[in-house]
Amino acid sequence: MPTTTPGIRQTKRGWEVSASKNGRRRTALVQTKAAAITRRKELQLQLEDLQKPVAYCLGEAVKASLRGRWAQAKSFDTIECNLKQCLNFLGDDPPLEQLHEEMVLGLREHFLSINQNPTVNKKLCQLKSVLIDAHKRGKLAVLPSWWPTRLKVDTVKDRVISDKEHQGFVAWFRVHAGEEIAD
């Protein structure tokens, strides 16, 4: 005799269970009505889980940025290597929303143990670009406001002219300004 429980009906093979939500449908076949009621609840929970947005992982974001932003870059191999180093430290799996300041500061300290400040700045900038790309694609709601500041880089180099340059200046002054100024 058919039952009036929605999504559950008795057939010759057993109890057929079905659940649907937003155009998605799941079905199962069980042997008892009690198992059918339990299984229907499980199917409904599965369908609700399918409706929740899947967290966008750091590894996926890096792959998408490499395919998009840096696909034609001349330094693609270097950028890919830098981002793989970030993934080796942070992992592929953390959702972008769960990335926090301590993780990035730990990454920076790790890089400082093996690289100079300009290289560390470059690697962290490339990682931040991945987050910016994910934000533009709608995969990250808000960009982090806590991103660490760039490390200080000493770009001033002592410049001393060579003997050849010195002789060139003296020769120019002799021709254009006279011997007195050339001295």
Side-chain angles (χ1 to χ4, degrees), residues 66-108:
L66 286 172
R67 283 191 312 264
R69 178 187 290 253
W70 292 301
Q72 302 302 319
K74 289 182 180 178
S75 58
F76 178 84
D77 293 337
T78 304
I79 294 167
E80 182 180 33
C81 180
N82 290 344
L83 290 173
K84 281 185 180 179
Q85 289 175 12
C86 293
L87 290 177
N88 287 341
F89 186 85
L90 298 171
D92 286 348
D93 300 334
L96 295 181
E97 291 83 16
Q98 293 181 6
L99 199 64
H100 53 80
E101 187 173 10
E102 289 80 24
M103 293 170 77
V104 177
L105 289 175
L107 176 66
R108 182 169 78 171

Side-chain angles (χ1 to χ4, degrees), residues 23-136:
R24 293 180 183 255
R25 185 167 187 240
R26 295 282 189 256
T27 60
L29 181 66
V30 293
Q31 296 305 312
T32 65
K33 185 175 182 180
I37 293 169
T38 304
R39 184 69 179 136
R40 184 158 195 282
K41 289 178 184 176
E42 291 172 2
L43 292 176
Q44 287 174 326
L45 288 174
Q46 287 177 5
L47 289 170
E48 287 176 16
D49 286 342
L50 287 175
Q51 299 302 315
K52 294 178 185 173
V54 178
Y56 197 56
C57 295
L58 184 58
E60 294 175 79
V62 166
K63 288 176 189 173
S65 286
L66 286 172
R67 283 191 312 264
R69 178 187 290 253
W70 292 301
Q72 302 302 319
K74 289 182 180 178
S75 58
F76 178 84
D77 293 337
T78 304
I79 294 167
E80 182 180 33
C81 180
N82 290 344
L83 290 173
K84 281 185 180 179
Q85 289 175 12
C86 293
L87 290 177
N88 287 341
F89 186 85
L90 298 171
D92 286 348
D93 300 334
L96 295 181
E97 291 83 16
Q98 293 181 6
L99 199 64
H100 53 80
E101 187 173 10
E102 289 80 24
M103 293 170 77
V104 177
L105 289 175
L107 176 66
R108 182 169 78 171
E109 290 303 315
H110 168 70
F111 284 150
L112 279 172
S113 68
I114 55 176
N115 297 118
Q116 298 294 320
N117 287 1
T119 306
V120 174
N121 285 340
K122 188 181 301 181
K123 290 178 180 182
L124 289 180
C125 183
Q126 291 166 351
L127 181 61
K128 188 173 183 180
S129 296
V130 168
L131 298 180
I132 291 169
D133 290 347
H135 179 66
K136 286 180 181 177

